[in-house]
Amino acid sequence: MTTDDALSAYVRQHAEQALLGLARFEYSTGEAIQREMTVEVVHATRTSLRRLRAVLRTFPESFPVPGPADDDLRFVARALSDVRDTDVLSQALLGEVDALPESLVLGPARQDLARALAARRRRAIEAVDRDRIGPSWGRAVELLGTWQQTPPHFVEPPSIRRLKEARDEVRRRVRDSQGAPEALHSARKAAKRWRYAAELLLPVEPKAAKHFDRATEFHVLLGELQDAVVTTEFLRDHAQLGNRSGHNGFTTGLLHASAQQRLEAAASRALSLA
């Protein structure tokens, strides 16, 4: 297998994965789309879209595509992001509540939390239902179908230099963030691109392995931080609703404090890595 064959196979694999995921709910509505957009389908589809965008953005000279391709793929990935965030929230928060001593789970705290998360997921899926009728969604699906059938050839071999540039960009963003969560979220997206670009080159460039391992370390750590940010924001809103409805917010407060501690610890570790 040539270098070009290996790289084209990567694009085909993830175009097919994303297309299969989108096809699961392409013609579904109402309750059907709720059933088809499972945790696994949403995660796999979004991850493949992210991988393809990393190739486009890291190796533009090697992988020329139609002008709106990156924007269209980003549109679909963003449409799925709220669903994915809610799935991560649900797994983490409900698991954390279940691990608490019964004396710290006051009233219907778990039931309220589960209902709020289910409602958040329904709203996120309704937004996807609206977004998929737009032109960006249609162009993205068409592009994925083209890449699945005939993956593009790379005009020139991707350079390991691009991985070094991606690494330096991540480190710069982390240092410049001074620990601010919003800036570290930007660093996380750059780390994700670095990781997936390195993954693309693993079969053909031995030096890519060190980049992949290091990028994964940043990606995982900054992902934990972003999960904590999403958690604190959700719990803040949930507590406000609970106050208005008369429910005891003690358990929500415990969860919020725990998430805030994780956020601060992850920010500190990220700064030490850079």
Side-chain angles (χ1 to χ4, degrees), residues 174 214 218 221 265-274:
V174 171
R214 190 62 168 162
F218 272 99
L221 175 57
S268 178
R269 294 201 309 274
L271 289 172
S272 69
L273 282 179

Side-chain angles (χ1 to χ4, degrees), residues 11-222:
V11 174
R12 182 200 291 272
Q13 173 191 348
H14 290 293
E16 182 173 15
Q17 178 71 58
L19 199 61
L20 287 173
L22 296 174
R24 285 283 300 270
F25 54 87
E26 181 68 19
Y27 302 106
S28 302
T29 58
E31 291 299 319
I33 192 173
Q34 299 280 341
R35 291 193 302 270
E36 293 296 340
M37 289 187 69
T38 64
V39 173
E40 295 77 17
V41 166
V42 171
H43 179 52
T45 303
R46 190 162 173 266
T47 300
S48 284
L49 290 169
R50 296 288 190 186
R51 283 182 160 96
L52 293 170
R53 290 193 63 229
V55 175
L56 296 181
R57 300 192 67 184
T58 310
F59 306 111
E61 72 286 348
S62 301
F63 191 47
V65 294
D70 182 55
D71 288 341
D72 292 339
L73 294 175
R74 178 176 58 184
F75 179 85
V76 178
R78 282 185 172 178
L80 300 176
S81 64
D82 281 349
V83 185
R84 175 59 185 164
D85 284 349
T86 305
D87 291 339
V88 173
L89 272 173
S90 297
Q91 181 178 11
L93 284 176
L94 295 179
E96 192 172 355
V97 171
D98 290 341
L100 287 173
E102 289 185 9
S103 59
L104 299 181
V105 184
L106 303 187
R110 192 190 191 284
Q111 296 91 321
D112 288 348
L113 192 60
R115 280 195 294 269
L117 288 164
R120 189 183 195 271
R121 195 176 201 274
R122 282 195 301 274
R123 290 193 298 272
I125 291 178
E126 288 167 0
V128 171
D129 199 13
R130 293 190 297 270
D131 287 339
R132 63 184 175 155
I133 64 175
S136 289
W137 191 286
R139 285 195 302 265
V141 170
E142 184 177 357
L143 180 64
L144 292 169
T146 299
W147 285 349
Q148 180 193 27
Q149 295 298 319
T150 310
H153 292 286
F154 285 70
V155 175
E156 59 183 74
S159 171
I160 192 71
R161 175 175 57 85
R162 291 295 186 185
L163 297 186
K164 295 176 182 177
E165 293 171 355
R167 175 199 62 200
D168 293 344
E169 177 68 12
V170 170
R171 287 175 171 169
R172 182 190 65 76
R173 292 191 187 195
V174 171
R175 288 194 299 268
D176 291 350
S177 75
Q178 299 183 337
E182 184 175 345
L184 286 171
H185 181 46
S186 173
R188 172 180 174 256
K189 290 188 284 188
K192 193 178 296 188
R193 288 193 296 273
W194 176 26
R195 178 188 182 188
Y196 293 151
E199 181 183 75
L200 167 74
L201 295 186
L202 283 176
V204 297
E205 174 53 73
K207 294 180 181 178
K210 287 186 178 180
H211 280 277
F212 179 77
D213 290 343
R214 190 62 168 162
T216 299
E217 186 176 8
F218 272 99
H219 183 193
V220 170
L221 175 57
L222 293 171

